[in-house]
Amino acid sequence: PDSLEKVMHYSKGCIIIARVCLGDAAVPPLPGSTSSYRRPPPKGTSEEFDCVIGRASSRTSHKEFIVYRHTKAYPEYIVLHS
């Protein structure tokens, strides 16, 4: 998520702040896509998007990012909170 408020909702005492290379991003809804985003959505015949940028619901303005390769994220800070 791109909002500290949203991160705090998910967090249980620890937040990892990372640099992430998003690459070629898909922004839903994708044409003909009805599946969840467990795998990268296709962008062509043999290529896939690197990530998906979306919203959890239409009621929120917070963006959420799904990145499929762990090598695209570099954890930089750990923030402990109560």
Side-chain angles (χ1 to χ4, degrees):
D2 66 347
S3 164
L4 185 57
E5 177 186 347
K6 186 71 170 182
V7 171
M8 296 293 281
H9 174 74
Y10 287 118
S11 174
K12 295 195 182 340
C14 176
I15 298 170
I16 297 174
I17 299 174
R19 290 182 184 258
V20 180
C21 179
L22 297 178
D24 196 5
V27 181
L30 295 171
S33 177
T34 57
S35 66
S36 67
Y37 296 106
R38 294 179 73 115
R39 299 195 38 77
K43 66 175 178 177
T45 55
S46 63
E47 296 181 353
E48 297 174 325
F49 284 98
D50 298 311
C51 74
V52 174
I53 301 174
R55 299 194 191 309
S57 72
S58 60
R59 299 176 307 209
T60 181
S61 63
H62 307 301
K63 293 179 187 172
E64 294 191 359
F65 303 86
I66 302 170
V67 180
Y68 295 96
R69 298 185 196 280
H70 71 277
T71 57
K72 299 291 185 179
Y74 175 78
E76 200 162 18
Y77 300 99
I78 297 176
V79 179
L80 303 174
H81 67 88
S82 55

